[in-house]
């Protein structure tokens, strides 16, 4: 059965997305790097030998750092096709790595420029305001990288860090273009200036795209129920008055935002646990921190804004019809629930196994529904593991080899706490499951 206009994307989609983004980035980088050669500024023209090479390198480095900064924005602008092809988790990973690389690249830019220009101190005066903007930009970049890397260690509240990171990122992009267009001779006129202005305009459009609700895939829902589900987990059910069906792949996630509830209005990502064929959206939300522990205050009738769907953690994005092995830890079972509910309605001849590890039996939810699936789906089996209490059992090599034995040819979907995912992933590879057939979803960016 199809789920509307969404077409399952192929395994190759991630590669296509990567190649397209890479080609776009290379085009910008190559174009930018050619500017100090094709449009020689006076400062380059009147330098010779080593100084000339240094100055030109400094300009090339600055331009490449600027292009990478622009790509930072592209990566987190939640552009529909890019998210569908590559997946938001992968894009966020690239954003993180690219940010660190570009900060160090940007640091070498003034060092290369200052040497041949014989500038020994920072030119701090009104006359040199574009250079001062550049210095602030560099400091801002390092602040962003350091705060991102150290946020957990410094126990920064995530929502405050995220807000500061977003605003900071926007200001850094704008500061870059001010610095480029007002301090660099190469960008004073002609094609380089036009290219700089076009990229600045594209950045403003992306910032508006990312922040103005008008452009985002939003829909309005209302809370129809909030119930306790297992220890420290809340079941949230939403219904919509809109006639239009909400289309998603089972396993995808959305951002939820409450406006008129007694809970803060920041957006948080959660996987839809219901099947795409249901008229309601159902979520199981663990109390992980300040926002999720306030969820009890939400009442039936409260308005919710849903943004999405996002993500590629779904068997529907795969073209193969291999058996499916779902391995979940705790509330990481939510994408599996959605996939199993959808599979139950569209059940073929596929072999499916769920291995779900929770702390104690009290941490389970929806377990009677899942048990019933075993009766209606011939090829479905479920195994529960309790890690705590008497006879507690972990997802170690011994346990996994038992569950994986008949599923060595399966596509594996793995979701749970990061340490568990790391250990299980390693064991699965040792047991002979190819890395390329293990799909993971991390519940955090
Ligand atoms: C793709 C995805 C799907 C998820 N699905 C589920 C689910 O089905 N059930 C469930 O219980 N949890 C799910 N989560 C985790 C959930 O989003 C976080 O636990 C929740 O946002 C924590 O917020 P907090 O303020 O209570 O905790 P905090 O202590 O503020 O945050 C704990 C961690 O959650 C992540 N986080 C917090 N706020 C955000 C945000 N606004 N955007 C992105 N990440 C954030 C960060 O990694 C942070 O370190 C999912 C997360 C992601 C990324």
């Amino acid at each position: 059965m199809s789920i509307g206009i969404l077409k399952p994307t192929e395994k190759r989609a991630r590669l296509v997305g990567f190649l397209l983004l890479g080609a776009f980035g290379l085009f910008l980088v190559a174009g930018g790097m050619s500017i100090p050669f094709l449009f020689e500024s006076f400062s380059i023209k009147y330098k010779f030998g080593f100084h000339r090479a240094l100055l030109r390198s400094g300009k090339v480095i600055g331009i490449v750092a600027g292009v990478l900064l622009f790509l930072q924005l592209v990566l987190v602008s939640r552009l529909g096709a890019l998210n569908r092809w590559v997946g938001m988790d992968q894009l966020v990973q690239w954003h993180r790595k690219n940010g660190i690389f570009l900060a160090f690249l940007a640091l070498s830019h003034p060092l290369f420029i200052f040497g041949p220009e014989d500038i020994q101190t920072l030119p701090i005066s009104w006359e040199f305001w574009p250079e001062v903007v550049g210095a602030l930009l560099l400091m801002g970049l390092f602040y962003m990288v350091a705060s991102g890397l150290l946020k957990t260690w410094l126990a920064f509240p995530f929502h405050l860090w995220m807000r500061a990171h977003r605003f900071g990122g926007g200001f850094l992009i704008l500061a870059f273009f001010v610095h480029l267009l007002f301090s660099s001779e190469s960008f004073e006129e002609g094609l380089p200036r036009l290219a700089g202005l076009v990229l600045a305009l594209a950045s403003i459009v992306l910032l508006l795209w990312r922040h103005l609700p008008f452009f985002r895939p939003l829909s309005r829902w209302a809370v129809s129920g909030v119930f306790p589900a297992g220890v420290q987990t809340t079941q949230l059910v939403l219904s919509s008055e809109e006639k239009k069906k909400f289309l998603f792949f089972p396993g995808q996630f959305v951002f939820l935002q409450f406006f008129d509830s007694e809970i803060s209005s920041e957006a948080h990502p959660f996987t839809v646990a219901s099947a795409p064929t249901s008229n309601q959206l159902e979520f199981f939300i663990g109390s992980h921190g300040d926002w999720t522990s306030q969820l009890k205050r939400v009442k039936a009738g409260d308005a919710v804004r849903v943004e999405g769907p996002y993500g590629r953690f779904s068997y529907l994005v795969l073209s193969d019809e291999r058996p499916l092995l779902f391995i979940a830890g705790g509330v990481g079972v939510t994408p599996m629930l959605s996939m199993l509910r959808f599979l139950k309605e569209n059940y073929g001849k596929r072999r499916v196994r769920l291995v779900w590890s929770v702390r104690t039996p009290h941490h389970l939810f929806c377990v009677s529904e899942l048990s019933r699936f075993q009766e209606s789906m011939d090829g479905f089996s479920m195994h529960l593991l309790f890690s705590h209490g008497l006879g507690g059992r972990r997802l170690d090599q011994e346990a996994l080899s038992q569950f994986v034995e008949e599923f060595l040819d399966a596509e594996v979907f793995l979701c749970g706490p990061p340490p568990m995912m790391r250990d299980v992933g390693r064991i699965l590879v040792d047991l002979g499951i190819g890395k390329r057939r293990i799909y993971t979803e991390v519940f955090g960016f």
Side-chain angles (χ1 to χ4, degrees):
M1 183 182 166
S2 111
I3 50 169
I5 54 160
L6 284 177
K7 287 196 183 73
T9 42
E10 299 292 322
K11 221 174 189 177
R12 274 163 295 182
R14 187 170 278 216
L15 183 67
V16 173
F18 176 74
L19 289 177
L20 282 179
L21 192 70
F24 176 62
L26 270 178
F27 168 73
L28 290 182
V29 166
M33 282 171 75
S34 68
I35 286 174
F37 294 91
L38 297 180
F39 302 88
E40 271 194 339
S41 61
F42 278 115
S43 56
I44 295 181
K45 242 178 220 158
Y46 293 109
K47 294 264 170 342
F48 297 96
F50 183 55
H51 277 180
R52 189 177 186 155
L54 269 188
L55 190 58
R56 192 172 263 153
S57 309
K59 288 190 180 237
V60 165
I61 287 171
I63 293 169
V64 173
V67 168
L68 295 184
L69 187 63
F70 172 73
L71 287 179
Q72 283 292 81
L73 182 59
V74 174
L75 290 172
V76 290
S77 289
R78 296 193 192 159
L79 298 171
L82 208 53
N83 270 297
R84 267 198 305 282
W85 286 334
V86 182
M88 196 181 281
D89 56 335
Q90 186 66 56
L91 292 173
V92 172
Q93 289 286 344
W94 291 348
H95 177 81
R96 200 168 287 149
K97 288 182 187 154
N98 188 39
I100 299 171
F101 178 64
L102 98 85
F104 282 98
L105 199 65
L107 180 65
S108 55
H109 166 68
L111 302 179
F112 276 76
I113 300 274
F114 282 6
E117 294 287 15
D118 203 22
I119 302 171
Q120 267 136 41
T121 52
L122 255 187
I124 300 178
S125 82
W126 279 117
E127 193 192 338
F128 296 111
W129 69 269
E131 282 75 10
V132 174
V133 169
L136 293 176
L137 169 61
L138 194 55
M139 285 190 259
L141 272 175
F142 272 89
Y143 164 75
M144 299 280 270
V145 169
S147 66
L149 291 175
L150 301 176
K151 64 178 182 305
T152 316
W153 188 65
L154 294 172
F156 270 1
F158 186 86
H159 61 284
L160 295 182
W161 170 80
M162 184 64 123
R163 216 169 283 171
H165 194 76
R166 274 198 197 130
F167 278 110
F171 278 117
L172 291 189
I173 298 255
L174 297 179
F176 164 73
F177 285 106
V178 169
H179 177 66
L180 180 85
L181 295 169
F182 291 93
S183 77
S184 173
E185 280 176 12
S186 312
F187 286 83
E188 264 174 5
E189 55 189 19
L191 193 62
R193 191 161 189 86
L194 185 68
L197 285 171
V198 167
L199 222 55
L201 191 69
S203 303
I204 293 171
V205 170
L206 280 177
L207 285 171
L208 291 177
W209 172 276
R210 174 68 189 80
H211 290 105
L212 290 188
F214 180 69
F215 295 112
R216 282 150 56 195
L218 301 174
S219 52
R220 281 189 80 79
W221 294 71
V223 174
S224 56
V226 188
F227 314 99
V231 179
Q232 288 193 322
T233 306
T234 305
Q235 178 190 15
L236 176 74
V237 185
L238 309 182
S239 45
S240 165
E241 282 166 16
E242 287 177 25
K243 293 271 179 301
K244 229 174 89 185
K245 195 141 184 65
F246 185 75
L247 300 169
F248 65 99
F249 289 162
Q252 283 194 300
F253 67 94
V254 295
F255 286 86
L256 296 183
Q257 206 171 3
F258 293 86
F259 287 103
D260 53 0
S261 304
E262 289 175 41
I263 184 167
S264 86
S265 62
E266 71 212 46
H268 283 258
F270 294 102
T271 306
V272 185
S274 42
T277 40
S278 165
N279 289 328
Q280 294 189 314
L281 292 183
E282 190 186 20
F283 302 89
F284 290 92
I285 300 179
S287 300
H288 302 294
D290 47 1
W291 191 89
T292 43
S293 12
Q294 290 173 39
L295 208 65
K296 303 177 213 56
R297 297 201 209 153
V298 169
K299 300 177 301 300
D302 284 356
V304 191
R305 193 155 77 177
V306 172
E307 177 180 347
Y310 293 112
R312 293 177 44 81
F313 191 68
S314 175
Y315 74 93
L316 282 189
V317 305
L318 310 175
S319 45
D320 296 349
E321 281 276 319
R322 286 170 179 271
L324 295 170
L325 176 60
F326 296 142
I327 304 180
V331 79
V333 77
T334 50
M336 288 47 167
L337 254 180
S338 178
M339 290 193 263
L340 283 166
R341 284 166 164 175
F342 189 66
L343 270 163
K344 194 207 148 231
E345 292 167 29
N346 308 283
Y347 185 57
K349 287 269 165 276
R350 216 157 176 169
R351 275 184 306 126
V352 186
R353 172 166 288 172
L354 170 68
V355 179
W356 186 12
S357 167
V358 287
R359 287 168 76 88
T360 69
H362 303 292
H363 288 77
L364 292 170
F365 48 89
C366 292
V367 77
S368 44
E369 179 187 353
L370 288 169
S371 302
R372 282 199 304 276
F373 287 178
Q374 296 193 103
E375 290 152 26
S376 51
M377 292 161 66
D378 284 345
F380 174 57
S381 55
M382 176 171 71
H383 302 272
L384 302 174
L385 267 88
F386 306 112
S387 57
H388 289 63
L390 207 64
R393 212 173 155 207
R394 294 191 165 270
L395 274 174
D396 53 17
Q397 180 110 15
E398 191 194 338
L400 278 166
S401 54
Q402 176 195 342
F403 302 130
V404 164
E405 206 177 16
E406 299 153 27
F407 280 78
L408 285 174
D409 56 338
E411 306 278 7
V412 184
F413 286 81
L414 173 61
C415 182
M420 168 244 168
M421 286 171 62
R422 202 180 41 240
D423 293 347
V424 170
R426 191 177 34 76
I427 298 172
L428 289 176
V429 173
D430 287 349
L431 290 173
I433 297 199
K435 259 190 192 162
R436 291 169 64 86
R437 280 189 285 119
I438 305 175
Y439 306 88
T440 55
E441 181 82 296
V442 181
F443 275 4
F445 294 130

